[in-house]
Amino acid sequence: MEIGTIQEFVVLAECLNFSEAASRLFISQSSLSKHIKALEQELGVALFERTTRSIRLSGAGERYLPYAKEIARLCTESEMEMDNYKNQSAPSFTIAVMQNPQYYNMAKYITGFQKAYPSISFSLIEADEFSLYDMFRRKLFNIFPTFSNFRGPEEFTFMPMVKSSIVAIFPKVHPCAEAQTVSLHQLAGERLLLPTRGGSLSNLIQTAFNQEKISPDVVYEGSSVGCIELVKTGMGVSLHAREFAAMLHRDAEISCVEISPELSFTYGLGHREFENLSHVEKLYLSYMKKYAMDVSAPSVD
């Protein structure tokens, strides 16, 4: 059983979209499809249920996913440990990035840091906010991307980078698709598709509904791409960060609408006390603070 194929399965399970998964993995869709089929044959079960329009995890896939994630995590951590061992004589560190780093210009600033300090080597590790925090807690790195409302048992210092907000994403045929704004009360009767369950953005949305004494009809909590594909099929309305919505403004099948009053949040970096960071980590944090504090959320028009 190929470790790489298991890692590919995890990415596809998160995306539920062959095109996005292949792009993230830097392989062709045909290669990804071939690898997944080989894994299914080896396990003797179908991991996905496929239709002409979409895919979703099968019952077997849902059972296998936690084990696959653990295998992928251990593989990544072991590679990081070996990289650290090989490069221990040179200034290096690990940069943690949350899934879809382009949303908040993280990829742009990481590249900028590399150009500013070419003698410093680093490795990148990408994961969801829960996994990143768990690795931070286990001291695999000292700086990680997170949201201001994220809470964990171990305290950390939060450095804000960008203020943003949640917007509503409707199918183009929806009566509210052409509205300037919508309220939470207007969304009360809608089937809602939210970001990952228990995550900072999902918690922000759920809290806002609770404060308005509204019981939202949440039918899906998962990946960004999964939400949009379900919106297009008429499954419901998605509430997501405007950075993600801004990337969809040319999609003719959906419409992004502001929520009023605004559901705002702050994205940034969590880190240990500055004096406890290594020299290169201090340089990285200082660079991000200097160049990222003026980032503003994009328009969804």
Side-chain angles (χ1 to χ4, degrees), residues 2-274:
E2 294 289 337
I3 296 296
T5 302
I6 295 175
Q7 293 171 320
E8 291 170 4
F9 162 72
V10 171
V11 173
L12 181 58
E14 292 169 347
C15 297
L16 292 177
N17 182 283
F18 272 95
S19 177
E20 183 189 357
S23 177
R24 284 176 55 179
L25 292 164
F26 299 99
I27 62 175
S28 68
Q29 291 187 52
S30 60
S31 294
L32 176 59
S33 179
K34 179 180 178 181
H35 296 167
I36 295 300
K37 286 182 180 179
L39 178 60
E40 290 177 320
Q41 290 174 354
E42 188 168 0
L43 293 173
V45 295
L47 298 173
F48 295 94
E49 295 177 0
R50 300 165 175 83
T51 69
T52 55
R53 293 181 60 88
S54 64
I55 65 168
R56 64 179 181 179
L57 281 170
S58 66
E62 291 178 348
R63 285 200 176 191
Y64 185 63
L65 182 58
Y67 298 99
K69 284 185 174 180
E70 183 66 9
I71 293 169
R73 180 186 66 80
L74 289 172
C75 181
T76 299
E77 291 182 9
S78 65
E79 290 174 350
M80 288 169 52
E81 185 65 25
M82 292 302 96
D83 285 343
N84 289 337
Y85 175 79
K86 289 184 292 184
N87 297 316
Q88 58 188 343
S89 61
S92 64
F93 72 120
T94 298
I95 293 180
V97 294
M98 197 174 292
Q99 291 168 339
N100 303 307
Q102 70 273 23
Y103 292 172
Y104 305 101
N105 282 334
M106 287 298 294
K108 170 185 174 182
Y109 288 107
I110 290 171
T111 301
F113 176 79
Q114 185 178 42
K115 291 180 179 179
Y117 299 97
S119 63
I120 296 177
S121 64
F122 58 81
S123 58
L124 293 171
I125 182 167
E126 177 182 332
D128 59 54
E129 61 178 312
F130 306 108
S131 299
L132 288 178
Y133 175 75
D134 181 62
M135 288 184 275
F136 169 80
R137 185 179 56 80
R138 291 186 287 117
K139 296 181 169 54
L140 296 181
F141 42 70
N142 293 316
I143 304 170
F144 69 108
T146 188
F147 299 91
S148 59
N149 63 324
F150 182 84
R151 296 292 179 268
E154 181 174 328
E155 293 186 359
F156 56 85
T157 301
F158 179 75
M159 186 188 82
M161 290 178 58
V162 57
K163 289 186 177 181
S164 188
S165 60
I166 302 294
V167 299
I169 305 174
F170 293 94
K172 204 69 174 181
V173 296
H174 193 283
C176 294
E178 301 303 322
Q180 293 296 315
T181 63
V182 293
S183 69
L184 293 182
H185 287 277
Q186 287 176 280
L187 298 171
E190 302 285 351
R191 291 176 296 181
L192 300 180
L193 315 168
L194 304 185
T196 305
R197 177 180 300 179
S200 297
L201 298 186
S202 182
N203 288 340
L204 169 67
I205 294 166
Q206 296 274 14
T207 298
F209 275 109
N210 292 338
Q211 290 174 343
E212 294 294 321
K213 296 181 171 54
I214 300 172
S215 297
D217 181 14
V218 179
V219 297
Y220 176 82
E221 292 176 277
S223 72
S224 300
V225 172
C227 282
I228 298 308
E229 291 305 311
L230 291 173
V231 169
K232 291 179 179 181
T233 64
M235 176 68 76
V237 177
S238 180
L239 303 186
H240 249 79
R242 66 168 49 248
E243 280 74 14
F244 176 64
M247 297 177 64
L248 306 169
H249 72 284
R250 294 183 180 177
D251 194 318
E253 297 183 64
I254 61 172
S255 178
C256 304
V257 180
E258 303 282 352
I259 295 175
S260 181
E262 185 179 69
L263 298 184
S264 61
F265 63 89
T266 304
Y267 182 83
L269 296 175
H271 61 89
R272 304 190 197 284
E273 293 296 329
F274 194 75

Side-chain angles (χ1 to χ4, degrees), residues 266-300:
T266 304
Y267 182 83
L269 296 175
H271 61 89
R272 304 190 197 284
E273 293 296 329
F274 194 75
E275 58 268 23
N276 295 328
L277 301 179
S278 69
H279 174 65
V280 292
E281 288 169 338
K282 290 177 180 178
L283 286 176
Y284 176 70
L285 198 63
S286 297
Y287 179 91
M288 298 300 279
K289 184 174 182 179
K290 178 179 179 181
Y291 290 100
M293 286 295 288
D294 62 345
V295 175
S296 58
S299 169
V300 296

